[in-house]
Structures are given as C-alpha cells and as structure tokens.
C-alpha cells in the first residue's frame, strides 16, 4: 500500500467555532476540503505513534469521511484508532474512550444539533488527551496550519469494513472496531444506583419516554434504559440513527422536539420525558405538563447530588456558562462551594474539571455534565434525574417547585434570531458595545443598570484570556440580559438574547416565563433595536 503525498491549496474558511468546524455538507465535500483540515489536525497535534478515538453521530457523509480520515491516519503514522462500529460514537462516549485508553485525542464527526442530510450540515470536532474539546489555543493553531497547508498524506488502500467488530490493519495502523455503547454503559453503571433506577423503571407505576430524535443517542438509550434498567420496550422513541435524522432538527428543545413536548403536555403523559441532540451531549428534561429549564436542571442536580452514589461525598465546586441562569450559584452558596462563570462552550470547563476545582457544570443550551468525562453528557443527565426520582419518589414538577421555594425561581428565556444578515448583526453588537459605558446607573422603569460589559474571562487555572464573550447588562434587581452571536450557525448570523429575572417569593413563582420576562424583552428592544437590526419582528426559536 502506497502513501500518497498530495499537493493541495488552502481554504480560507476553516476556522473552528464554538464547537469545532461546522459547515454545510456541500462545503465539506469540496475538493480536498476535509483532507486539508484533517492534515492540519495531524500536523498540529502530532500523529506519529499516537492513539486516537474516532466516531460520529451517523449523519450523512459520516461513513465517507471516516474512510478518508482512517487512510490519512495510516499515512500519517498513527499507531491505533479506536473506532465505533458503523462509525458511530456519541460525543460523551468519545470523551470516555479517550480517557480510558489514554489516547492522544479524538475526532468526532458531528454538527451536533444542526440538521443533517445532503442539504444539512457536517462537522469535525477535535478533542484532546483529557477527553475534552480542544482549547482555543489548539483550534487557533489548527486554523493557522490550514491557512498554509500545501499537501496532505493519504494511504492508497481499499475501504475499511466499519461494521465488523475486531482489529483490522491498515498499513501500520491498527483499527479496533468496537461496540460504541459498552464502555459508556459501564461508566454510567459506576456512577448511578442502577438497582434503584431499575426498580423505578420496571415497577410498572412509573412511565418514561426518551426521544433520541433519530440521532446517535438511540443505541445507547436502548441498551441502558430498556435492556439494563428494564424499562418497557418502546420507552426509547426514534432510536435508530438516520443519516438525515428523519428530516428533523436533532435539537432537544421545545421547538424541535415537538412530538415529545406534545406528549408530555397532552392527556395522560408519562411521568418523565427526555430528548437528546445529534451527538448525544445535550438533554432536555420534562415532567408531566412540566418543562425543566436547563439552568434549573443544573441547579437541581447540584442540590440533589448527594442522593447519587458518585457524588455522595459532595461536590468540589460547580460552573456555568455566562448566559446560563444563576440558579446554580444559589445552590453553590448554600453548599458553601465555589461557582465559576465561564464563556459559552464546553472547552472552557476543561481546565476547571482537570484541576478538580469543579464536579458539575452546565450551559443554558441543554448541556450538563460532570467530571466523569470532559464533554457534556445527555444520557448522564437523564440517568441523574432518574436516580433522583427513584430516591425522592416525587414528581418532576414537585421537585422543581420545592427547589424554587427553597432557592427562589430564576425566570429564564433565550431568543434566537437565526439566519440574519452578518453585517447587520455585527452592527447591532458594535452599537451595543459603544453604549456600554453609558448604561450603568441608568434606570428603565424599575430596572437600574448595575453593570454592563462585554464579558472577558481569565481561566483560573492556566491564566489564558478570552475577550468579547457576550454583552451582559445586569440590573440591580438581579435581572440580566445577555447578547451574543452564535459560533455554531452555518447560514447567516444567529443572534442570541438571554433573559433572566430572579423571584424569591413563592407566591410570585407561578407566572409563565414570557409574562415574567415581558418587561426585560421590551427593554432589550429599547436598548438594542433588535427588530431594526435583525429585520425580524420575532425570534426564530424561543427556549
Ligand atoms: C451553542 C450553544 C453552546 C454550546 C454549543 C455547542 O453555541 O449556545 O452553549 O456549547 O452550541 O454545543 P453557540 O455559539 O451557537 O451559541 V454542541 O451540542 O453543538 O457541542
Ligand atoms: Co451536541
């Protein structure tokens, strides 16, 4: 088998965003586009003699891309690749495997919650030896390399059988095709009380529904919930991964997981409902006629962590991304543990987790996770909730309401304006930035601005700095508005507005979020002229 060294020219647009390189399939299929980026990864990370983990969420072009990457890995001297059977591995499973096998890192082929299929998106995420998303310093270096690349290496060899379990040799590279679920399931068993959850799920009285949205979580949920924990077959819906996710949008939120939401808010719903995204790292939690905001979910997991075997001895600390509500901050204060505020994106939790400074962390975008791996973890959150429900034997709604009574309620909403004009989106942000110094002290009705800035973060462990991570306007009555532009969209720009308002009085905790936040939403319009700049009169998605 010959190693080809193929001449190539750079593509300008290979800068990774919030979570890897994410592009329309048509972009990724351009001549040598994938090859350039993969060679840039190998050149930057160093591939000779290394062990890597490779998997994807099963979306369109997954299998073709796997073949290219495997042949390139062989030509670049990679020693061993742990590959999920069929090219499938969830993002949390990849993270766990990197750690288990002490691999140099991993490549995950996924555009996460973005739609798949021929017309959809494709993505390439790079993870490091701790199992977590590459830090900015590494993605910047990969990007820099991609801008000067002039050749890549690829083995001239027949395709690898991705479906047959066992070892195969590709030149000097050994590929271990493994069951994508087994190691992850064992890890979950080490964290949660499977006997207790099993009693709850198989007892007959408790009904549960998990919607995998035809994405990668399906095989994991089938094994864990139905086979190992004894939930009735049918508990997992849309459990077969499809290349186009059945035409859906694999985003677990109130808009895109519509079928599950209708079930949970319909007549005689199950006791517990959950959905996951394309690559299995996000989760949405629902009870009967009850939606748990991701920010509340993180706070509730932290407050109940002592009920779960893995966290029985307490939490070292917690962290949340800037736009995530401060619900978890209150729990941390009550527990007497530190709470860190990071920029958006899981990579910012990595150092805190590695240093043992935090045990749990999460984002408002339906991502929660812990120190067992270095990615957010959808099914972990589901099992965590089920473990709490199995101990407390209350409904999801009772648990949420009691939490609000104890800690107060953080009303919360995110408004996304998707596919808007880039230039206008940037103008909105720049105009806001220029207003920042004039806002503190100004009053808008009962809201007086206390702090307004463009969030800068200094990593407490390695001291690295990240600037312009989101514009926050904080009011004296513990309300907040955050504005930022998405780093994962692929069509036009996406503006995200985040609204939060704190309500300690249990008598005033029964409004809908849209009622409670109406004043703040109007205020955002007044300050930022959202309608004018987005040319939209309402958001595309509200979560
Ligand atoms: C979004 C979310 C962010 C999340 C990121 C990746 O980023 O807001 O919280 O970490 O997606 O999630 P952005 O830049 O579009 O707001 V995933 O499930 O794609 O790894
Ligand atoms: Co995801």
């Amino acid at each position: 088998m010959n190693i080809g060294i193929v001449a190539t020219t750079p593509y300008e647009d290979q800068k990774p965003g919030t979570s890897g390189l994410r592009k329309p399939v048509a972009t990724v299929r351009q001549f040598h586009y994938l090859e350039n980026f993969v060679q840039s990864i190998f050149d930057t990370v160093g591939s000779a003699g290394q062990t890597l983990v490779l998997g994807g969420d099963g979306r369109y072009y997954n299998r073709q891309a796997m073949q290219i990457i495997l042949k390139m890995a062989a030509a670049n001297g990679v020693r061993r690749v742990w590959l999920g059977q069929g090219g499938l591995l969830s993002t949390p499973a990849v993270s766990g495997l990197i750690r288990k096998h002490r691999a140099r890192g991993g490549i995950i082929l996924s555009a996460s919650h973005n739609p798949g299929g021929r017309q959809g998106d494709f993505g390439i995420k790079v993870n490091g030896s701790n199992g977590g998303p590459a830090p900015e310093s590494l993605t910047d270096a990969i990007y820099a390399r991609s801008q000067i690349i002039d050749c890549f290496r690829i083995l001239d060899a027949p395709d690898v059988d991705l479906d047959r379990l066992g070892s195969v040799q590709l030149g000097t590279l050994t590929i271990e095709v493994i069951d994508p679920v087994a190691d992850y399931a064992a890890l979950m068993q080490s964290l949660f009380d499977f006997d207790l959850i099993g009693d709850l799920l198989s007892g007959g009285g408790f009904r549960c529904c998990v919607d995998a949205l035809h994405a990668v979580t399906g095989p994991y949920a089938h094994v864990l919930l139905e086979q190992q924990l004894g939930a009735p077959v049918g508990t997992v819906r849309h459990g077969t991964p499809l290349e186009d996710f059945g035409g859906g949008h694999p985003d677990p939120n109130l808009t895109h997981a519509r079928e599950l939401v209708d079930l949970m808010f319909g007549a005689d719903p199950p006791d517990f409902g959950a959905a996951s995204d394309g690559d299995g790292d996000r989760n949405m939690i629902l009870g009967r006629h009850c939606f748990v905001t991701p920010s509340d979910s993180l706070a509730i997991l932290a407050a109940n962590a002592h009920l779960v075997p893995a966290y029985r001895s307490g939490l070292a600390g917690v962290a949340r991304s800037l736009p995530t509500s401060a619900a978890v901050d209150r729990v941390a204060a009550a527990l007497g543990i530190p709470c860190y505020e990071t920029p958006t994106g899981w990579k910012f939790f990595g150092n805190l987790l590695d240093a043992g400074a935090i045990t749990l962390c999460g984002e408002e975008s339906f991502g929660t996770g812990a120190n067992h791996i270095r990615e957010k973890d959808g099914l972990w959150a589901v099992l965590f909730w089920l473990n709490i429900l199995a101990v407390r034997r209350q409904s999801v709604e009772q648990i949420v309401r009691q939490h609000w009574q104890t800690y107060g309620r953080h009303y919360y909403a995110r408004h996304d304006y998707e596919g808007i004009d880039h230039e206008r989106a940037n103008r909105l942000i720049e105009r806001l930035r220029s207003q920042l110094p004039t806002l503190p002290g100004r009053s808008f009705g009962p809201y007086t601005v206390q702090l307004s800035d463009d969030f800068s973060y200094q990593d407490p462990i390695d001291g690295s700095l990240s600037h312009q991570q989101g514009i926050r306007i904080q009011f004296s009555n513990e309300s907040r508005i955050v504005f930022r532009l998405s780093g994962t969209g692929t069509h036009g720009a996406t503006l995200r507005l985040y609204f939060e308002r704190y309500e300690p009085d249990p008598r005033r905790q029964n409004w809908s979020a849209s009622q409670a936040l109406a004043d703040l939403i109007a205020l955002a319009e007044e300050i930022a002229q959202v309608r004018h700049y987005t040319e939209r009169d309402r958001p595309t998605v509200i979560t």
Side-chain angles (χ1 to χ4, degrees), residues 112-113 125 277-282 376:
S112 193
H113 55 288
K125 304 202 277 188
D277 72 335
D279 60 331
D281 56 1
R282 301 188 184 200
K376 49 191 181 275

Side-chain angles (χ1 to χ4, degrees), residues 381-430:
V382 169
L383 293 169
F384 201 140
W385 264 95
L386 289 172
N387 201 146
I388 294 171
L389 291 165
V391 174
R392 290 183 53 171
R393 300 277 166 170
Q394 292 172 296
S395 72
V396 171
E397 188 180 355
Q398 282 168 335
I399 289 173
V400 171
R401 288 197 176 277
Q402 281 186 16
H403 187 89
W404 292 342
Q405 280 169 17
T406 309
Y407 298 96
R409 176 173 181 184
H410 291 256
Y411 284 106
Y412 191 81
R414 180 174 106 178
H415 289 189
D416 295 333
Y417 294 81
E418 296 175 335
I420 61 174
D421 184 64
H422 268 295
E423 206 186 310
R424 293 183 76 93
N426 288 330
R427 288 220 312 265
L428 179 148
I429 294 290
E430 272 154 30

Side-chain angles (χ1 to χ4, degrees), residues 267-507:
D268 193 29
D271 300 280
F272 179 82
S276 212
D277 72 335
D279 60 331
D281 56 1
R282 301 188 184 200
N283 71 92
M284 174 169 67
I285 303 294
L286 300 158
R288 294 168 73 104
H289 302 137
C290 168
F291 162 63
V292 187
T293 71
S295 299
D296 277 351
S297 181
L298 174 63
I300 290 168
L301 297 187
N304 290 277
H306 59 283
L307 303 178
V308 169
Y311 314 108
R312 199 148 275 158
S313 59
L315 306 175
V318 292
R320 62 162 172 86
S321 65
L322 160 76
T324 305
S325 96
V328 75
D329 301 36
R330 295 191 180 273
V331 176
L335 293 173
I337 56 172
C339 177
Y340 299 86
E341 185 176 46
T342 60
T344 293
W346 208 261
K347 57 188 170 217
F348 292 103
F349 295 132
N351 281 343
L352 292 167
L353 288 163
D354 285 349
I358 58 170
T359 310
L360 302 186
C361 46
E363 297 189 276
E364 50 63 42
S365 53
F366 299 85
T368 20
N371 58 354
H372 62 292
I373 52 171
R374 294 294 180 269
E375 287 276 6
K376 49 191 181 275
D377 192 344
L379 276 174
W380 167 89
V382 169
L383 293 169
F384 201 140
W385 264 95
L386 289 172
N387 201 146
I388 294 171
L389 291 165
V391 174
R392 290 183 53 171
R393 300 277 166 170
Q394 292 172 296
S395 72
V396 171
E397 188 180 355
Q398 282 168 335
I399 289 173
V400 171
R401 288 197 176 277
Q402 281 186 16
H403 187 89
W404 292 342
Q405 280 169 17
T406 309
Y407 298 96
R409 176 173 181 184
H410 291 256
Y411 284 106
Y412 191 81
R414 180 174 106 178
H415 289 189
D416 295 333
Y417 294 81
E418 296 175 335
I420 61 174
D421 184 64
H422 268 295
E423 206 186 310
R424 293 183 76 93
N426 288 330
R427 288 220 312 265
L428 179 148
I429 294 290
E430 272 154 30
R431 185 173 158 276
L432 261 177
R433 256 184 215 134
S434 69
Q435 281 175 280
L436 288 175
T438 67
L439 290 175
R442 265 181 73 184
S443 292
F444 301 84
Y447 295 88
T448 303
V449 179
Q450 203 173 41
L451 176 155
S452 61
D453 67 357
D454 197 346
F455 184 59
S456 283
Y457 179 69
Q458 177 160 37
D459 188 294
I461 311 300
D462 68 13
S464 60
L465 284 166
S466 304
H467 297 295
Q468 301 198 326
Q469 296 295 318
I471 291 176
R472 52 176 178 177
I473 304 181
Q474 210 152 302
F475 303 94
S476 46
N477 56 1
E478 292 191 62
S479 302
R480 277 198 313 164
I481 309 174
V482 175
F483 300 81
R484 60 178 284 279
L485 296 177
S486 157
T488 60
T490 53
H491 299 279
T494 295
L495 173 71
R496 303 200 197 283
L497 269 60
Y498 309 81
F499 303 98
E500 176 180 352
R501 172 179 157 189
Y502 180 59
E503 181 49 72
D505 185 347
R507 291 165 306 180

Side-chain angles (χ1 to χ4, degrees), residues 249-270:
H249 204 127
D251 201 353
N253 62 36
L254 294 176
T255 303
H256 295 305
R258 197 67 241 170
E259 205 181 302
L260 177 71
V261 173
D262 287 346
L263 176 76
M264 298 305 296
F265 284 85
D268 193 29

Side-chain angles (χ1 to χ4, degrees), residues 31-203:
F31 190 58
H32 293 169
Y33 190 95
L34 177 71
E35 289 87 341
N36 280 10
F37 192 70
V38 171
Q39 187 65 50
S40 302
I41 298 171
F42 289 146
D43 288 349
T44 310
V45 174
S47 51
Q50 302 288 6
T51 295
L52 296 177
V53 177
L54 180 62
D57 65 7
R59 66 179 59 222
Y60 180 74
Y61 199 54
N62 199 44
R63 285 174 164 267
Q64 294 93 314
M66 288 286 165
Q67 298 292 352
I68 293 172
I69 295 171
L70 288 170
K71 291 171 195 174
M72 288 185 64
N76 278 280
V78 173
R79 189 170 60 92
R80 191 180 300 274
V81 168
W82 296 89
L83 175 77
Q85 187 182 26
L88 291 181
L89 280 175
S90 74
T91 287
V94 168
S95 188
L97 285 165
I98 292 172
R99 296 170 69 78
K100 175 176 173 181
H101 295 297
R102 300 181 192 283
R104 174 69 188 89
I107 296 177
I108 306 169
L109 301 183
S110 172
S112 193
H113 55 288
N114 294 30
R118 236 171 239 279
Q119 313 299 330
D121 288 336
F122 196 75
I124 307 159
K125 304 202 277 188
V126 181
N127 285 36
S129 56
N130 71 347
E136 274 183 322
S137 51
L138 180 56
T139 53
D140 286 351
I142 294 170
Y143 174 61
R145 179 71 200 155
S146 78
Q147 297 307 289
I148 52 168
I149 192 155
D150 57 7
C151 68
F152 63 86
R153 300 164 74 83
I154 190 159
L155 197 69
D156 181 16
D159 279 0
V160 175
D161 184 346
L162 304 176
D163 299 304
R164 211 180 58 221
L165 292 174
S167 282
V168 322
Q169 205 65 29
L170 191 62
T172 55
L173 167 68
T174 305
I175 301 168
E176 311 278 2
V177 182
I178 53 168
D179 175 346
V181 179
D183 293 293
Y184 179 81
L187 182 57
M188 292 302 110
Q189 285 176 19
S190 74
L191 302 174
F192 299 109
D193 190 335
F194 267 47
D195 289 340
L196 203 65
I197 304 173
D199 289 345
L200 179 75
L201 292 184
S202 60

